[in-house]
Amino acid sequence: MLFQTAGIEVSPWIPPLVAFVISFFTSMGGVSGAFLLLPFQMSFLGYVNPSVSATNQLYNIVAIPSGVYRYWREGRMVWPLTWVVVAGTLPGVFIGAIVRVGYLPNPRHFKLFAACVLLYIGIRMLLDLLKKNSGNASKASSETRFQEMVQRHRQQTTDPDASGGMTTSAVHVTHFNLKRLGYTFYDDVFDVPFWGIFALSFIVGIVGGIYGIGGGAIIAPFFVTFFKLPVYTVAGAALMGTFVTSVAGVVFYQAIAPLYPNVSVAPDWLLGVLFGLGGMGGMYFGARCQKFVPAKAIKWMLACIIIFTAVKYVMDFLR
């Protein structure tokens, strides 16, 4: 099948299959998988036009709602955290889109900077995972209790959808204002600064607008590593922030396309939808299976993902 905007020819079953496999695993950590689809489109499919960023964000729009729905149904959406992420990413994505089209059509040097940031986060996550100190005991205990509850529930019921009501009381917001956000997860208390979350989301929005990767690969590890939030409660918020970033990005890229008649800026809608349909299934089942996967395994996966991304950016810079 020929995709005219992308300027490539590929079998129609390949995009949804690749997106399903990627999103199934990455959605467990609050990552849409768009950052892996971007090099796949550029390196394997030969889609190198600037519009690949917008196409990647279109994938997020189609795919992410199914994962967010599943986290919401299971009572693991921390909505105040979600709204702060949304409020921060939204203005950032417009800035990122302007920078991408006007100043970084070939953002080689910015990739090196992004690689350094990701490497720092990835190494920090690895060090935290390798440590076994008392400072992380309380965070681990809530995740362990959650896993134990899931296992008990699986033994007590044969209804595959019963888990929707299983965790409705898992998250309770204790306070939310312009200074702090606090909530409990299985009796453990978590408290984070409002403006710290907002500033991080704003920066991630800019990065997401430039590269069309959504930003979940950055914001989810930050929540887990620096703010010490349990991975079972941040995945939904990270995905929702990526969704809003992507909606704004696609709208903006489509709007400015007429200003660049000689450059492919608008998304390839058919290709993006095919990727999105595969991602929709992958994210739904990934979100559904997350509670059966140990938190430590998800954190290892996140660490490997961001280190892989960082190494790839360094390689791109050196080429």
Side-chain angles (χ1 to χ4, degrees):
M1 178 181 288
L2 176 65
F3 298 89
Q4 294 183 351
T5 301
I8 61 172
E9 189 171 354
V10 63
S11 298
W13 59 270
I14 292 180
L17 177 62
V18 171
F20 179 89
V21 174
I22 290 175
S23 62
F24 174 79
F25 292 101
T26 58
S27 62
M28 294 184 189
V31 182
S32 73
F35 75 102
L36 291 177
L37 281 181
L38 192 64
F40 172 78
Q41 293 180 73
M42 298 179 71
S43 301
F44 291 92
L45 301 184
Y47 186 5
V48 294
N49 297 329
S51 60
V52 69
S53 294
T55 302
N56 224 34
Q57 290 177 330
L58 178 59
Y59 151 79
N60 284 332
I61 294 174
V62 178
I64 287 177
S66 64
V68 171
Y69 165 76
R70 191 68 205 186
Y71 285 123
W72 166 77
R73 182 174 178 180
E74 294 184 6
R76 289 189 284 130
M77 287 292 293
V78 185
W79 286 110
L81 179 65
T82 302
W83 301 135
V84 176
V85 171
V86 169
T89 54
L90 195 55
V93 70
F94 290 113
I95 297 175
I98 294 173
V99 172
R100 173 70 168 94
V101 175
Y103 302 99
L104 290 173
N106 184 21
R108 182 169 175 263
H109 295 285
F110 194 86
K111 277 191 174 182
L112 181 62
F113 171 76
C116 293
V117 175
L118 290 174
L119 273 177
Y120 174 75
I121 300 171
I123 293 172
R124 175 74 180 266
M125 283 196 74
L126 288 177
L127 292 176
D128 285 349
L129 285 167
L130 294 172
K131 283 181 181 178
K132 292 184 177 180
N133 53 43
S134 59
N136 292 329
S138 63
K139 307 303 184 288
S141 64
S142 64
E143 293 168 339
T144 300
R145 289 197 300 273
F146 177 68
Q147 277 283 297
E148 291 172 349
M149 180 273 301
V150 169
Q151 295 302 324
R152 287 197 303 270
H153 187 81
R154 291 182 70 185
Q155 296 171 357
Q156 294 171 1
T157 181
T158 58
D159 182 2
D161 286 326
S163 58
M166 177 186 62
T167 59
T168 52
S169 61
V171 173
H172 292 287
V173 177
T174 57
H175 57 274
F176 176 49
N177 52 53
L178 291 180
K179 291 184 178 180
R180 311 291 301 183
L181 161 63
Y183 67 92
T184 61
F185 179 62
Y186 284 90
D187 299 326
D188 282 344
V189 179
F190 302 92
D191 184 85
V192 292
F194 175 95
W195 291 109
I197 297 292
F198 182 89
L200 170 64
S201 303
F202 179 73
I203 295 171
V204 168
I206 295 176
V207 174
I210 292 174
Y211 291 112
I213 61 174
I218 300 175
I219 202 166
F222 248 103
F223 283 162
V224 173
T225 304
F226 292 92
F227 292 104
K228 304 299 181 183
L229 298 180
V231 68
Y232 292 123
T233 66
V234 305
L239 284 176
M240 190 66 177
T242 301
F243 173 78
V244 173
T245 298
S246 300
V247 170
V250 168
V251 171
F252 191 75
Y253 276 117
Q254 187 67 48
I256 67 175
L259 302 178
Y260 300 89
N262 298 322
V263 181
S264 178
V265 174
D268 189 308
W269 289 88
L270 180 57
L271 183 60
V273 169
L274 285 177
F275 275 121
L277 291 175
M280 181 187 299
M283 287 197 195
Y284 180 84
F285 288 106
R288 181 172 180 173
C289 294
Q290 188 217 41
K291 57 183 174 289
F292 304 122
V293 180
K296 194 169 185 178
I298 299 175
K299 292 174 184 178
W300 272 107
M301 179 186 67
L302 274 176
C304 293
I305 284 173
I306 61 177
I307 289 177
F308 170 82
T309 306
V311 171
K312 184 186 181 305
Y313 281 173
V314 172
M315 293 177 63
D316 290 344
F317 174 81
L318 296 176
R319 285 172 185 170

